[in-house]
Amino acid sequence: MTKRKNVAVIGGGVSGLAAAKAFDERGHRVFGFERSHDFGGVWELSRSYPGVQTQSPKDLYRYTDLAMPDEYPEWPKGPQVHAYLHAYADKHKLARLFQLNTNVQSMDRRNDGLPGWTLTLEAAGKTWTQDFDFVAVCTGQFSDKNIITHPGQDAFQATGRDVIHSSEYTDPTTVTGKNVVVLGGSKSATDIAVNAAANGAKSVTLVYREPVWRVPYFVGGINFKRLLYMRAQEQQFNGWSPSPLGKALFTAFKPLIWANFRGLETLLKLQLGLKKWDMVPDTPIEKDASCSLPIVTPGLFEGFKDGSIKPVRGSFERYEEDQIVLTNGEKVPCDLSILAVGWKLGVPYLAQEYQDKLIEHDGQYRVYRLAVNPDMPDMGFVGFNSSFCTILSAEMIANWLVRYADGKLANQPSDEDMNRNIEEMLDWRRKERPAAKVYGGLCSAPFHFRHFDELLSDMGAGKTKRSNPIAEQFSYPDAASYGESLASAPQYTAG
């Protein structure tokens, strides 16, 4: 019989909820810790900037057993996603498992010689330690703000002007009548630029370092999920460890693959007018596609056209009294600087000796299946497998992880197996697909199907694909179908 474990789940966002549900339904004692006052992670309302909405359509951004409400738009807004996550927590009674407003201060191996970890926890001014048999780290990739500064910033702020991180932009009235400068080229940067222009900013300047391929919600009038999120498209990217047959087919169809991607690039250039705005990337789209590929914010290019948003290629050099000097020498008036420069990867509360085992010299993470490291037993990560269908990815890896923790995978890997695979994947990212190095290599996109195939095979699922081969090959991932696949894996309960 599988031993019942005391399991810590760190984080109460998308990934933490998936992990809590997966470990709880297998019979383990789950202790969830969320540092804020509410579930939701990046979708928690106090962390969401005005107008935020999903990059993925709602039928891709969901758990397997709970669809988003029919009345939600195709791309739900932040408060709707937040409500959906609460509905999922309510359905599975997950609130009983979590302590909110609780910080994890440190994490180290247990001192009593037993397997597991000791967490140092803090809440309401009190600090204590607690031992666990297994720890699921579910803080994902958007937990700690990336804070940067530039020369002259203190003097700039002393004049009454302000510099904030994008996550701190929660009140659109703060931009009214002001010269706003947004630093960054991600979707959060463009979302905020469009929102500021719509809320009466005197001027909005979007400063970005390099152009990247951007995909509109509709490409040539077709929902992009029907063009980009399918197995047939995924197979046209250079994946890892191709079989001899796969290599032969890739070589044979290379001219058609090349033509397919050049056609997509041409369509994007024409539809968005990229040449006019000096926003044509240098890298071919098939080499650049990863989790960092942003979706076009509705209204962005319209803002360029009507002059309400000015795009400038460059970065910040320094602040002056009422302006920012850019690296291209241009001076931009500024009352409010919004830094959409992302989040810091890492597990800051993890003891340094284990961080050194986890992260390579070039920032790449040593993780098997984007979830575990053989040199760090009795722990794993949920949400490190970033993708274009984040919620489904979190649920899939959570179900894999509980079986890994219990030794119940049909293909339970040895340390040797994991280390060999880790080295192969690192080599692939570094030499064959540099785009896969984004976010420390913690990105399964654009290889969603293959990632899920591996997880289901490991779990011994009886059903790994939809019964309709045409839909399986030419349609986007179906969450409900993956729920059936998870149910087809061997079931058990710890006790």
Side-chain angles (χ1 to χ4, degrees), residues 3 16 48 118 189 202 208 257 275 282 341 369 377 386 422 441:
K3 177 188 174 184
S48 299
T118 298
K202 183 177 181 181
Y208 64 96
I257 294 171
K275 286 186 178 180
D282 296 325
V341 292
R369 297 288 192 256
S386 182
I422 287 170

Side-chain angles (χ1 to χ4, degrees), residues 93-385:
K93 298 179 174 59
L94 301 180
R96 64 188 164 84
L97 305 175
F98 278 86
Q99 293 177 231
L100 303 179
N101 295 306
T102 304
N103 286 298
V104 178
Q105 294 188 332
S106 67
M107 173 177 171
D108 210 338
R109 295 296 279 172
R110 291 171 62 155
N111 292 323
D112 57 11
L114 295 175
W117 297 82
T118 298
L119 300 186
T120 301
L121 302 159
E122 183 273 327
K126 296 181 180 180
T127 301
W128 71 99
T129 61
Q130 195 166 340
D131 294 332
F132 296 97
D133 303 308
F134 193 89
V135 176
V137 176
C138 308
T139 47
Q141 300 179 6
F142 304 102
S143 181
D144 293 312
K145 291 180 284 189
N146 182 31
I147 303 298
I148 63 173
T149 59
H150 295 89
Q153 182 168 319
D154 289 343
F156 174 83
Q157 291 180 285
T159 66
R161 295 169 174 84
D162 206 0
V163 180
I164 63 173
H165 186 269
S166 56
S167 64
E168 299 169 315
Y169 176 62
T170 57
D171 181 2
T173 64
T174 59
V175 302
T176 304
K178 294 181 180 178
N179 295 306
V180 177
V181 181
V182 182
L183 177 63
S186 64
K187 185 173 183 292
S188 61
T190 58
D191 282 353
I192 290 171
V194 169
N195 185 270
N199 281 280
K202 183 177 181 181
S203 68
V204 178
T205 305
L206 177 70
V207 181
Y208 64 96
R209 193 179 297 276
E210 295 290 342
V212 296
W213 290 107
R214 300 174 188 277
V215 180
Y217 286 139
F218 293 90
V219 180
I222 302 173
N223 190 318
F224 73 88
K225 70 182 179 183
R226 301 191 182 281
L227 295 175
L228 301 180
Y229 290 176
M230 57 183 178
R231 192 180 287 270
Q233 184 76 294
E234 177 180 310
Q235 291 166 342
Q236 298 180 50
F237 297 101
N238 59 321
W240 59 91
S241 305
S243 66
L245 177 60
K247 286 182 180 179
L249 290 173
F250 190 84
T251 301
F253 287 99
K254 194 170 184 178
L256 292 176
I257 294 171
W258 182 91
N260 171 56
F261 285 118
R262 298 295 77 73
L264 176 59
E265 288 179 353
T266 299
L267 187 56
L268 293 176
K269 291 175 188 177
L270 292 174
Q271 181 172 331
L272 301 176
L274 296 181
K275 286 186 178 180
K276 178 179 181 180
W277 307 110
D278 187 28
M279 297 184 83
V280 178
D282 296 325
T283 306
I285 193 169
E286 69 270 25
K287 294 184 178 180
D288 210 25
S290 72
C291 292
S292 61
L293 185 72
I295 302 302
V296 175
T297 301
L300 177 66
F301 285 90
E302 292 81 355
F304 293 169
K305 291 175 184 177
D306 65 25
S308 59
I309 304 172
K310 178 183 177 182
V312 180
R313 191 169 175 176
S315 188
F316 290 7
E317 179 70 33
R318 65 183 183 276
Y319 290 93
E320 291 186 347
E321 183 178 356
D322 58 355
Q323 62 187 2
I324 297 174
V325 181
L326 304 181
T327 51
N328 63 6
E330 185 174 347
K331 296 183 178 181
V332 181
C334 181
D335 302 306
L336 176 62
S337 171
I338 303 177
L339 307 179
V341 292
W343 303 79
K344 292 188 293 185
L345 274 175
V347 190
Y349 43 81
L350 183 64
Q352 187 61 47
E353 65 175 295
Y354 295 103
Q355 294 199 42
D356 293 341
K357 297 175 186 290
L358 179 64
I359 307 171
E360 293 269 300
H361 62 88
D362 60 352
Q364 295 298 292
Y365 278 64
R366 295 185 59 84
V367 279
Y368 177 75
R369 297 288 192 256
L370 301 177
V372 295
N373 180 300
D375 295 324
M376 299 162 58
D378 312 310
M379 70 168 293
F381 302 92
V382 177
F384 266 16
N385 58 334

Side-chain angles (χ1 to χ4, degrees), residues 42-64:
V42 295
W43 297 107
E44 194 273 306
L45 297 180
S46 67
R47 292 182 61 187
S48 299
Y49 52 83
V52 63
Q53 64 188 68
T54 63
Q55 291 212 75
S56 299
K58 65 179 181 180
D59 46 2
L60 280 168
Y61 204 78
R62 53 161 289 192
Y63 295 104
T64 61

Side-chain angles (χ1 to χ4, degrees), residues 1-5 22-29 402-403 406 408 489-495:
M1 179 177 287
T2 303
K3 177 188 174 184
R4 191 182 190 197
K5 298 178 179 65
F23 279 90
D24 181 58
E25 73 178 358
R26 293 285 154 236
H28 296 295
R29 301 182 188 90
V402 65
R403 288 169 169 82
D406 291 334
K408 289 292 187 177
Q491 305 296 307
Y492 67 95
T493 302

